[in-house]
Amino acid sequence: MKMAIIYTSVTGNTEQLVHIIALFFKTNNQAIDIYTVHDFPIQQLSTYDLVIVGTYSWGNGDLPKEMEGLYEAFEMQNVDHLITGVFGTGDRFYPHFCGAVDEFRDMLYAHTNLAVTLKVELMPQSSDLSKCEKFYKSLMKRVQKAKVN
Ligand SMILES: Cc1cc2nc3c(=O)[nH]c(=O)nc-3n(C[C@H](O)[C@H](O)[C@H](O)COP(=O)(O)O)c2cc1C
């Protein structure tokens, strides 16, 4: 099972969420590659079995500029088999809270086997841990289902 988290983070909130989510994989002895979007070898996207996208939101609930290439790669490459999840941090001060998560969600739903989404306000708090665990478990449930079928 080849798995990756691909993320972007400027002020560290989304990166914190990456660490929390990665911990669930580590605790369950599951290897997962962690890449910033800048470092991810985009041509290898379709070689993965599971990909998790992590993003903040920008402008008016927009995708960060650096995520556009990854977004397009999902649209262009053969990724129907990919189990995916998308999470992000945002700020409820803005009218479109975690808009980039919604944008990825709609596209991933159309092009991949999207299992779950997660939105967190700014820096993750201990109260967000149960949401992160749910996120992880939903992904694993989808993995099991894919193995059975
Ligand atoms: C100029 C600007 C625009 C933003 N626009 C949005 C937005 O539309 N929706 C939202 O939920 N958060 C918005 N945010 C908040 C960031 O997404 C939020 O602070 C996020 O946690 C930053 O993630 P990072 O620490 O991983 O970089 C905006 C922040 C800035 C500075």
Side-chain angles (χ1 to χ4, degrees):
M1 190 89 199
K2 200 175 168 189
M3 307 191 279
I5 300 176
I6 309 167
Y7 76 98
T8 185
S9 181
V10 175
T11 62
N13 297 339
T14 313
E15 191 169 36
Q16 280 301 319
L17 205 45
V18 170
H19 294 319
I20 295 168
I21 288 165
L23 209 56
F24 285 102
F25 286 87
K26 209 174 159 193
T27 308
N28 288 285
N29 291 318
Q30 293 164 311
I32 187 158
D33 302 332
I34 301 175
Y35 290 101
T36 66
V37 72
H38 291 297
D39 293 338
F40 182 69
I42 202 101
Q43 67 286 354
Q44 286 182 23
L45 183 64
S46 64
T47 67
Y48 279 85
D49 303 298
L50 182 150
V51 169
I52 304 171
V53 176
T55 184
Y56 61 93
S57 295
W58 199 243
N60 185 20
D62 300 329
L63 289 187
K65 196 112 196 98
E66 66 273 21
M67 290 306 255
E68 287 174 6
L70 178 65
Y71 186 98
E72 282 161 21
F74 277 111
E75 291 182 307
M76 306 292 286
Q77 292 188 23
N78 188 6
V79 290
D80 309 9
H81 67 284
L82 255 188
I83 295 170
T84 55
V86 53
F87 66 83
T89 64
D91 188 341
R92 289 192 192 278
F93 168 81
Y94 293 91
H96 198 165
F97 176 60
C98 287
V101 172
D102 292 341
E103 280 203 41
F104 262 106
R105 176 201 62 207
D106 293 350
M107 180 278 294
L108 292 173
Y109 180 75
H111 292 278
T112 71
N113 184 358
L114 176 70
V116 64
T117 68
L118 170 66
K119 296 178 180 180
V120 165
E121 173 122 43
L122 299 171
M123 180 65 81
Q125 306 294 311
S126 51
S127 55
D128 294 310
L129 273 176
S130 61
K131 283 205 265 178
C132 293
E133 186 175 17
K134 248 184 177 171
F135 180 85
Y136 166 78
K137 284 186 170 167
S138 296
L139 283 164
M140 288 307 110
K141 213 170 170 184
R142 192 61 66 91
V143 168
Q144 287 310 323
K145 199 174 164 196
K147 277 184 187 160
V148 170
N149 295 331

